Amino acid sequence: MPTQKTLYKALQKINAVYVLIFKTTIRFKKDVKNIAPILDAEHSVIKWNVDRSDVDHILRVESFNNNINHIIKLMNTAGYDCEELTD
Amino acid sequence: MRERDEQKQKAIKEKAMQIVAKQGIESFSMQKLAKAAKVSPATLYIYFKDKEDLLLQLCKEAGEKMMEMTFKNFDPSMSFSEGLKVQWVNRAKYCLKYPDQLMFLEQIRYSGLHEKYMGMMNESFKINMHSFVHNAIKRKELVNLSVEVYWSIAFAPLYNLIKFHQAGKSFGGRKFVFSEKIMMETFELVLKALQP
């Protein structure tokens, strides 16, 4: 049985992991704390982080699904603006 | 689905290195990098978790290259004068070949990332340098000094000459070009200062 880590790496290699990038209003540490339980509870979310040093307070999510709208909805419900950042 | 592209990632890293080297780490941002590398900010975040992740990856690469070059033909059991000479030649080569990396690492040294960078680095650098210095002290080829004083005498003069060289000038616009002759002249004086 492959471990979860090796499985994840293999999936990443074949681009089966989606990297979703959002511009948000998740500004402060307390905001990150607010959203942590919400994203941690999502089964499709492998890992996530917020780059608070960026002007757009980037939320970066690695997910098994391309569930952009779902993530946006979750963030909006938690009280934050969130929009997908596209190329 | 956006594809990961190794070439693109490499180009982004090179650009980031240049920006930090030339403009400093304080003013570096993902937005600035995106503009300079002609990619969207979203693309940067495909490759890197965040700004710190990007900078630490650059540190790792530059640090590994620096170590690889510094220790070429070097053995910690060498005599002090021989070992230090090999190091001077190697370090000078590295600095002249990768000026951006040198400036980049210099920026990191005085930033909040430095400790994280040191934690990531291979222990062999420290161990090699340590045993070289200790052997030399034991053999009475080197005076016993604090690491700060040792480094300031043993290597800082070389780095300073290289700084002058990279600026193309020293004081009051006086033209300066680094050469092997100048390096060896300085090296002999450094050796004199460090020998008991």
Side-chain angles (χ1 to χ4, degrees):
Chain A
M1 267 296 278
T3 63
Q4 204 163 1
K5 203 171 171 188
T6 55
L7 187 65
Y8 167 59
K9 278 211 169 132
L11 286 167
Q12 207 175 27
K13 222 174 211 166
I14 56 165
N15 277 315
V17 171
Y18 291 86
V19 182
L20 315 174
I21 316 287
F22 305 93
K23 172 182 172 173
T24 75
T25 50
I26 304 165
R27 280 200 187 89
F28 305 108
K29 274 190 184 155
K30 67 171 169 57
D31 299 323
V32 178
K33 256 190 205 158
N34 273 343
I35 61 155
I38 302 167
L39 289 171
D40 289 343
E42 283 298 308
H43 290 303
S44 62
V45 171
I46 305 156
K47 54 181 184 179
W48 62 273
N49 69 284
V50 178
D51 190 356
R52 293 190 303 115
S53 74
D54 193 80
V55 286
D56 285 335
H57 318 288
I58 301 293
L59 168 65
R60 181 185 192 274
V61 178
E62 291 190 21
S63 171
F64 288 128
N65 293 330
N66 197 8
N67 47 354
I68 294 164
N69 291 329
H70 179 61
I71 302 280
I72 292 175
K73 220 172 172 181
L74 287 175
M75 292 303 104
N76 289 160
T77 310
Y80 301 101
D81 292 347
C82 180
E83 58 177 282
E84 193 200 3
L85 210 59
T86 52
D87 286 336
Chain B
M1 188 66 220
R2 282 173 284 222
E3 301 279 322
R4 282 167 193 260
D5 174 341
E6 298 270 326
Q7 284 306 106
K8 204 179 201 176
Q9 188 172 14
K10 210 172 147 230
I12 290 170
K13 279 183 177 170
E14 264 164 31
K15 206 34 134 191
M17 185 88 76
Q18 278 170 16
I19 295 174
V20 174
K22 297 208 162 66
Q23 300 171 27
I25 201 162
E26 295 302 324
S27 69
F28 178 78
S29 71
M30 294 296 250
Q31 306 287 333
K32 199 182 227 178
L33 173 60
K35 246 182 223 151
K38 298 194 176 73
V39 298
S40 71
T43 301
L44 293 183
Y45 284 95
I46 296 290
Y47 296 107
F48 308 100
K49 244 180 83 199
D50 51 25
K51 186 167 98 172
E52 188 176 298
D53 176 42
L54 164 65
L55 290 172
L56 284 175
Q57 282 194 36
L58 291 177
C59 284
K60 191 159 180 276
E61 284 182 18
E64 276 166 1
K65 186 97 224 146
M66 193 255 286
M67 256 173 54
E68 178 200 317
M69 283 186 72
T70 301
F71 287 136
K72 204 167 170 232
N73 303 324
F74 175 80
D75 184 325
S77 64
M78 280 174 159
S79 76
F80 183 66
S81 60
E82 183 64 29
L84 195 66
K85 193 164 151 188
V86 170
Q87 291 243 349
W88 268 53
V89 172
N90 287 348
R91 285 173 192 247
K93 267 190 200 156
Y94 171 77
C95 295
L96 296 172
K97 195 165 175 192
Y98 302 104
D100 281 350
Q101 281 193 19
L102 176 71
M103 293 294 280
F104 174 83
L105 289 175
E106 187 86 345
Q107 286 286 333
I108 295 296
R109 190 193 301 273
Y110 302 107
S111 80
L113 285 177
H114 191 244
E115 231 160 280
K116 274 193 187 160
Y117 160 56
M118 293 309 279
M120 254 170 27
M121 284 312 288
N122 197 324
E123 278 287 298
S124 69
F125 189 85
K126 257 207 308 224
I127 294 166
N128 260 343
M129 290 312 286
H130 217 76
S131 75
F132 172 60
V133 165
H134 275 260
N135 289 338
I137 293 172
K138 240 195 313 195
R139 288 194 301 248
K140 300 204 179 346
E141 296 169 351
L142 168 64
V143 279
N144 200 350
L145 299 164
S146 73
V147 65
E148 293 82 5
V149 175
Y150 168 70
W151 196 91
S152 299
I153 297 173
F155 297 114
L158 172 68
Y159 288 114
N160 205 61
L161 290 173
I162 285 167
K163 251 187 212 165
F164 282 152
H165 173 79
Q166 277 163 355
K169 56 187 185 249
S170 62
F171 302 106
R174 214 175 109 91
K175 261 186 99 167
F176 181 79
V177 180
F178 184 76
S179 69
E180 200 180 341
K181 184 168 167 278
I182 288 174
M183 177 170 78
M184 291 324 293
E185 207 176 276
T186 315
F187 175 77
E188 292 303 328
L189 288 170
V190 165
L191 208 54
K192 232 192 236 177
L194 289 170
Q195 281 165 340

